[in-house]
Structure formats: structure tokens, C-alpha cells
Amino acid sequence: MKGKATSLDIAHLAGVSQPTVSRALRGSPMVNEETRKRILAIAEQLNYKVDKNASNLRRQHSGTLALLFFEDPTPDESAINPFFLSMLGSITRACALRGYDLLISFQQLSNDWQADYEDSKKADGIILLGYGDYLESRGRLEKLVEQGTHFVRWGAVQPDTPGVSIGCDNTQGGHDITAHLVSQGRRRIAFLGHASNHYPEFFERYLGHRQALETAGLSADPALQVDALTTEQSGHDAATELLVRGAPFDAIFAASDLIAVGAMKALLERGLRVPDDVAVAGFDDIPLASFVNPGLSTVQQDTKRAGALLVETLLALINGEPAESQTIPVKLALRGSTAAK
Amino acid sequence: MKGKATSLDIAHLAGVSQPTVSRALRGSPMVNEETRKRILAIAEQLNYKVDKNASNLRRQHSGTLALLFFEDPTPDESAINPFFLSMLGSITRACALRGYDLLISFQQLSNDWQADYEDSKKADGIILLGYGDYLESRGRLEKLVEQGTHFVRWGAVQPDTPGVSIGCDNTQGGHDITAHLVSQGRRRIAFLGHASNHYPEFFERYLGHRQALETAGLSADPALQVDALTTEQSGHDAATELLVRGAPFDAIFAASDLIAVGAMKALLERGLRVPDDVAVAGFDDIPLASFVNPGLSTVQQDTKRAGALLVETLLALINGEPAESQTIPVKLALRGSTAAK
DNA sequence: CTGAAAGCGCTTACAG
DNA sequence: CTGAAAGCGCTTACAG
């Protein structure tokens, strides 16, 4: 036999028709048990595998999901945001569990998305994972909805966002970690991270932060908010800017762990001690958070649950079942960086 | 028009035959320029995308590579070895650059590999990336070769390994970092990591380590080698074991950064100072290496180059071109953890 | 329980 | 330069 075996080869060997082979292989109940066993044995022996291209073409689905991963500040570097890598792992596992393959594509938010996996029938639906200017990408989300593409997005869950989104409770997280800082005796708490609707996740964290301040009877000083994207460098720059401004502060809540780690570096370089002089908290609970010195207090996102929920929701969408945006609860992971003075 | 547009729909609208549409879309030179333009315009307007299943079925290839990722000590946790994540990123980019899609699958080394992507025509070839007992997996490599599967493997490059491998120069790396430790005045250098042919990469690093010791006129004390897998926990355990043994040492070369970081923790817990009491070096240069305190000296593997080389080699194999195993040079990344006493 | 027939949407000789 | 024909390897009504 030259080349790979086909179902027709098996049919010949088993003395049945090709459709019967197809039925037996997929466990159709209407195949004689003995016939099935014979067919399975031959298939095994020939190392036969169903040709997915043929099968998919006929069945008009692919058994594959696509993960569209976009990140803007790091177009080409190998350093991908660890939080997303953790998500990647959990999404892969969730797919495998449900018998789906996962196609992966890294893209820049600023480019046109190569989101034609579904159109070209390579995937049944798309998971969008990334970080960047929401307002810039919004139009593309609308286009996906318009085209009837099946997709779920990881991000801020807001009523006016096109399509279905899964995200963590950013507001609650921002609130809780700030409340914790207050409970540790901090009063002048800076926020490092973009705080506008361009970056809804950060904005929600910021709003939660402000809520907690208000509850504590503290006011949010505009001088204590500095824009930052989710990279260490950006966090370093933001903390430096904060120091330059000169407004006193005794704590920093960074909108992501990467920002927090960069900020800690900047503080240490200026001779400030964490947490003695400045408490620092982050968001995400990336592995690095427990390794910096002191350990970084942060808001933990449940990536395992998130990955599973993204996949489940997308599959529901694909199957025409109702699917809604959902928010996942967060919890605090407290370490040395926010100890009381 | 209901459902997605097909090439036949376009043919009708353009007043040509369906094969002409197919030719025009793939830029065949034997299509009238005006006809082509008309067809392209219609295709654009209908948001037409070639059905990959049909195309692949006909052309008998998939334009997709599969990345089979296996890791054994962490079957289900979300914490994936950061070094492999870095490789993942570079492989994805290398694929995208060459117009290939990447299918990803996480597996346990101990299970049967679900390596039938090529058999089922979902991928044209497979990249194997992972860490575990080589002797255990060897049989499966042999089977892949036997079946004529196109694959490349990241790992130790050794003549008797089935198939084609790409790996870094582990021996050189182990040699250079040990020579560096010696140059910093260290004389009793421990090695943490498996040092047997079950783990060829570690073994090569160990051999390089011994070479450097010999060159320096130092002998390798068996009491200073402790087995460890590439996790922090394992590194922590190994360092603890080393301390329990009681043989004096003034430096540790860990076979991976994760081991080194775990070992550093164990040392600090016992009140030992790095580098004053014990210098510590690792291997991989994961992002964490520059964040621990003090920064971890290590051997840097060029993951960008590695990813590109893996993809290039696999594509050569797929195209029936000659392809050979290759070794990538390494370089040292020196930080505070190996400063002179 | 099984087979003959049709067809998924392309690509590629083969003719002209 | 273009079209009619065949066929990639399956799955699924339709008959029996």
C-alpha cells in the first residue's frame, strides 16, 4: 500500500463498503458488532487515521478553535505577558478536554487582524486574547459581529462591547486591594496604569480603587495617577514620573503585576524601601509576583476557570446555544510588599 | 446568498467558470488581467475566503505545523516552564513568517502521544518540545521515524537520537559557566540536576561542567552532585539535600534557572548569602533570572534563533530537502549571583 | 444492518 | 487564456 491508508483500503480488506467503514470508525450504533471489530482491527493495523480535511469538508466544521493573541507594546520580542501565557495554557487544556484542536496566532493589535480562520473553515470559532487600546479595536469587533463570526473575547465585561466577553471582576479587585492598603495604614495611594475607556480593564480597576478610597473617606489626588501600559519598562517609567511630580505617597496600586514590578525597581533605585516607605500592590498574580523581594501583593485572576469559561462559551455560541458575557470573581494574594509600616 | 460564498458563486457573478476563479485567486499567471481584477473585486465584496478543507484535501497538504508540547512533572498545573513559553513564542512567529499556521497541543510525556496530526492531515509536520525522561520517550521517536512522520525535536543533539534534533550547545554552556565560577574564585562547585543519559541535555551540561573543573585542576566531588528536575521545588529539595550531606561548597551550578531559583530560596532560608557564601548559576536565562535578588547568572539560549531553526528544518524535511541536526551556540548572562566573594 | 449514490469546495491535468 | 472533467476522502440521506 503506497501512501496513507484510506477508508476505501480498509473496506477492501474487510470486504465491506466504504460507508460501512466510516460508520464503524465513528461508532455508529447501526453496524454489526463483529463487522465493527474487524474493521477496527484492520484500521489499527494500517495505522489509519480519518483524513480531517475530507471529514471537515463534508461535515462543514473543523473541530478546531483559533486563539488570536494580540499584544501591542511588544510586537516582536519574545517576552510575552506572563498572564496571557498562563491563559494560553488553560485554554489549550480546556480545548483538549473537549476534543478540540487549538490554532494559535500572535498578532499585533495595530495591524489588521488575520481573523479569517472561521471564514476559511480552519476553525469553528475564535478566542480573542490581548491587550491594547480598546477603542482602536472596537471597530474590528463590530465587524466580526456583523460577519456572524463566532468569537469570545477576554477583557472588560461591559454592556456596550460588541460580542460576548469573559473577564474578571476588575472593579472588585481594584476595590479590594485598595481597601487592603488602607487597612494597612496607607493613606496616599498612587495608581499606575491608564485610567480611561481606551483601556477598560485598567479603568475598571481604577474605578474600584477610587470607590475604596471614597469609602475610607480619602480623596483621589490626580497627581497620584500616572498612565502606564502593562510592561515593566512602562511601570518603571511611571514610578519615576510619580517621584518627579513630588506629590507624597505611601503606597502604589499598579494596574498589573508587570507595572508593579517595574515600579518596585524604580523605587529601590531611588533608595526607597518596600514596604517600609512605599507599599506596592499589583494585579494578575503572575508567577513573578511571588519571586520578587519582597513578594508582591496582588489580585489573583483565576486563569484556569477563565480558560475553561472562554472555551465553553465559544462552543455554546458555535452550537447556537445562548451564551452571555460573564465576570469571574477575583481574590487577593497578599505578600510582603503591602505589610504595615 | 445564504451561507459563505464559494468559488462557484463568484464564477456566476463574474461570468466565468469556477476553475478560472480558482486560478485568479491564487495568482496564476495564465489569467487575463482584467478577468482577474473583476474576480478579485467580487471575492473581496463577498468576503470570500478559500475553504481550506477543500483546498487541503485536494492539494494533500495542510499549511499547518503542529507543536507537540510535553512536560512531565507538571501534568495539569498552569505553570509551564518559562523557557518553553519563550520557545513557543518564537516558534509561533517563525511559522507566521512562513505562512504556516500552528496547531498546539500540551501533552504528558508519560501518556501516549497524540501525534497523529500528520496522519489525520491536520498538519504537515510536528515540532516536539518538552522535557522528561529521554529513554522513556525514545521508543516513540523511533516509531515516528518508522512511520515516516516529518518532525524535529528540540533537545540534546546526539548522533544516536532518532530523527532530527535542534538544540543548544549544552556542553559549551556548562563548561563556560563553570569556568566563570572558577574565575570568580570558587573551588567547590556543586551541580544540581540529573546527570545521566535519561536527561541528555542536563547530562551534557554536567559533562561541560566537569571538563571545566578538570581544566582548572579541580576534581568533581560526587557528594556535590544532586539529582533535580527542572522545577523550583526540585531545586529547593536538591539544595536542601546538598546542605544535609554536609560536604562543603562555595558555588552551585544548577542545570536550569528554575532549579537555581529554588536552590537560592533554600540557601536563603538557611541563612546563607548569595553570592557571599555561595555563588549560584543557572541555565536558560528565563525572565525570572533577572528579577531574583541577586540577579541570577546563567547561560542564555537563543530562543528566537531556535524557533526559526526548528521551523526551517521541519519545512525542509517536509519538502524532501536535506536537513540535519544542529547545535546553537550559547552565551553567558552574568549577574550578581556569581560575583566574587 | 449494509450498500449505491451524491456531494462538500476546491485544484489540476487535459483540451482547445 | 479559458472551460469541462475528474477527483481529493470522507459523511449522510436514501433504499433496501
Side-chain angles (χ1 to χ4, degrees), chain A residues 24-85:
Chain A
L25 256 25
R26 271 169 315 102
S28 160
M30 34 180 213
V31 173
N32 181 289
E33 196 45 40
E34 271 182 44
T35 312
R36 177 206 309 293
K37 278 184 185 156
R38 189 152 34 96
I39 291 172
L40 289 184
I42 296 173
E44 174 104 359
Q45 190 191 321
L46 263 51
N47 193 36
Y48 171 79
K49 295 286 169 352
V50 173
D51 183 318
K52 291 286 187 187
N53 292 131
S55 167
N56 293 344
L57 173 59
R58 180 56 233 253
R59 301 175 60 191
Q60 296 293 69
H61 91 329
S62 69
T64 301
L65 304 181
L67 177 58
L68 239 164
F69 182 91
F70 48 87
E71 193 163 18
D72 236 20
T74 51
D76 196 73
E77 293 151 53
S78 51
I80 303 162
N81 188 326
F83 171 71
F84 288 125
L85 288 175

Side-chain angles (χ1 to χ4, degrees), chain A:
Chain A
M1 191 145 331
K2 64 192 177 206
K4 310 266 182 191
T6 68
S7 57
L8 199 58
D9 296 327
I10 298 179
H12 286 324
L13 290 169
V16 296
S17 74
Q18 180 271 328
T20 298
V21 173
S22 174
R23 290 188 191 102
L25 256 25
R26 271 169 315 102
S28 160
M30 34 180 213
V31 173
N32 181 289
E33 196 45 40
E34 271 182 44
T35 312
R36 177 206 309 293
K37 278 184 185 156
R38 189 152 34 96
I39 291 172
L40 289 184
I42 296 173
E44 174 104 359
Q45 190 191 321
L46 263 51
N47 193 36
Y48 171 79
K49 295 286 169 352
V50 173
D51 183 318
K52 291 286 187 187
N53 292 131
S55 167
N56 293 344
L57 173 59
R58 180 56 233 253
R59 301 175 60 191
Q60 296 293 69
H61 91 329
S62 69
T64 301
L65 304 181
L67 177 58
L68 239 164
F69 182 91
F70 48 87
E71 193 163 18
D72 236 20
T74 51
D76 196 73
E77 293 151 53
S78 51
I80 303 162
N81 188 326
F83 171 71
F84 288 125
L85 288 175
S86 169
M87 289 288 286
L88 172 63
S90 77
I91 291 170
T92 316
R93 291 204 174 85
C95 281
L97 230 57
R98 288 158 187 79
Y100 275 76
D101 287 319
L102 218 223
L103 216 42
I104 279 204
S105 171
F106 285 67
Q107 319 212 343
Q108 280 183 258
L109 183 63
S110 47
N111 293 343
D112 258 353
W113 297 351
Q114 213 207 337
D116 53 5
Y117 291 106
E118 186 170 348
D119 297 326
S120 65
K121 308 276 175 64
K122 285 205 81 158
D124 300 330
I126 296 175
I127 296 172
L128 294 173
L129 190 60
Y131 179 77
D133 188 324
Y134 167 68
L135 294 184
E136 220 179 83
S137 65
R138 200 196 146 91
R140 275 175 284 207
L141 294 182
E142 277 163 355
K143 198 172 163 199
L144 287 182
V145 172
E146 203 175 285
Q147 290 176 180
T149 303
H150 300 114
F151 76 97
V152 271
R153 172 184 157 271
W154 173 259
V157 176
Q158 297 185 321
D160 65 328
T161 300
V164 175
S165 301
I166 305 293
C168 82
D169 195 337
N170 294 298
T171 314
Q172 189 72 46
H175 173 277
D176 292 356
I177 194 77
T178 298
H180 165 69
L181 287 167
V182 170
S183 78
Q184 298 294 89
R186 309 294 167 164
R187 290 295 172 268
R188 302 270 310 160
I189 307 175
F191 180 86
L192 302 190
H194 278 277
S196 80
N197 56 358
H198 285 260
Y199 297 88
E201 293 180 83
F202 280 14
F203 199 34
E204 289 182 351
R205 292 169 196 181
Y206 179 66
L207 294 177
H209 164 73
R210 292 196 54 153
Q211 270 176 28
L213 289 181
E214 276 166 34
T215 303
L218 301 167
S219 64
D221 183 347
L224 294 184
Q225 187 273 322
V226 185
D227 285 349
L229 293 170
T230 189
T231 66
E232 291 157 37
Q233 185 58 51
S234 187
H236 190 281
D237 294 349
T240 305
E241 160 72 12
L242 188 64
L243 289 164
V244 166
R245 286 187 190 171
F249 60 96
D250 56 8
I252 289 176
F253 166 36
S256 83
D257 285 352
L258 247 23
I259 295 176
V261 166
M264 274 176 69
K265 266 204 164 168
L267 295 175
L268 294 173
E269 284 166 15
R270 300 294 185 108
L272 292 166
R273 292 162 306 162
V274 176
D276 309 77
D277 299 317
V278 180
V280 177
F283 205 109
D284 287 345
D285 199 20
I286 61 178
L288 183 55
S290 57
F291 273 99
V292 287
N293 196 354
L296 178 67
S297 291
T298 186
V299 180
Q300 190 175 78
Q301 303 197 61
D302 186 346
T303 54
K304 204 161 181 172
R305 173 110 182 264
L309 204 50
L310 282 167
V311 172
E312 272 165 27
T313 305
L314 181 54
L315 291 181
L317 242 27
I318 290 169
N319 296 326
E321 296 159 15
E324 291 190 350
S325 293
Q326 273 185 78
T327 298
I328 299 174
V330 295
K331 64 181 187 191
L332 298 185
L334 301 178
R335 304 194 176 92
S337 69
T338 59
K341 290 195 241 201

Side-chain angles (χ1 to χ4, degrees), chain B residues 11-195:
Chain B
H12 287 325
L13 290 169
V16 295
S17 73
Q18 180 271 328
T20 298
V21 172
S22 174
R23 290 188 192 103
L25 257 25
R26 272 170 313 101
S28 160
M30 32 181 214
V31 174
N32 181 289
E33 197 46 38
E34 271 183 44
T35 313
R36 176 205 310 291
K37 278 182 185 157
R38 189 152 34 97
I39 292 172
L40 289 184
I42 297 173
E44 173 106 356
Q45 189 190 322
L46 264 51
N47 193 35
Y48 171 80
K49 295 286 170 351
V50 173
D51 183 320
K52 292 286 188 186
N53 291 132
S55 167
N56 293 344
L57 173 59
R58 181 55 234 256
R59 301 176 60 191
Q60 296 292 70
H61 91 328
S62 70
T64 301
L65 304 181
L67 176 59
L68 239 162
F69 181 93
F70 49 86
E71 193 163 20
D72 237 20
T74 51
D76 196 71
E77 293 152 50
S78 51
I80 304 162
N81 190 326
F83 171 72
F84 288 126
L85 287 176
S86 169
M87 289 287 287
L88 172 62
S90 78
I91 290 170
T92 316
R93 293 208 173 82
C95 281
L97 230 57
R98 287 158 186 80
Y100 274 76
D101 288 319
L102 217 224
L103 215 44
I104 279 203
S105 171
F106 286 66
Q107 318 211 343
Q108 281 183 259
L109 183 63
S110 46
N111 293 344
D112 259 354
W113 297 349
Q114 212 208 335
D116 53 7
Y117 290 106
E118 187 171 346
D119 296 327
S120 65
K121 306 277 175 64
K122 285 206 83 157
D124 300 330
I126 297 174
I127 296 172
L128 294 173
L129 190 61
Y131 178 78
D133 189 324
Y134 168 69
L135 295 184
E136 222 179 79
S137 66
R138 198 193 149 92
R140 275 176 285 206
L141 294 181
E142 278 164 354
K143 198 172 162 200
L144 287 182
V145 171
E146 204 176 284
Q147 290 177 181
T149 302
H150 300 115
F151 76 96
V152 269
R153 170 184 160 272
W154 173 258
V157 176
Q158 297 185 320
D160 64 329
T161 301
V164 175
S165 301
I166 305 292
C168 82
D169 195 337
N170 294 297
T171 314
Q172 189 72 45
H175 173 277
D176 291 355
I177 194 76
T178 299
H180 164 70
L181 286 167
V182 170
S183 78
Q184 297 297 87
R186 310 293 168 165
R187 291 293 173 270
R188 301 270 309 160
I189 307 175
F191 180 87
L192 302 190
H194 278 278

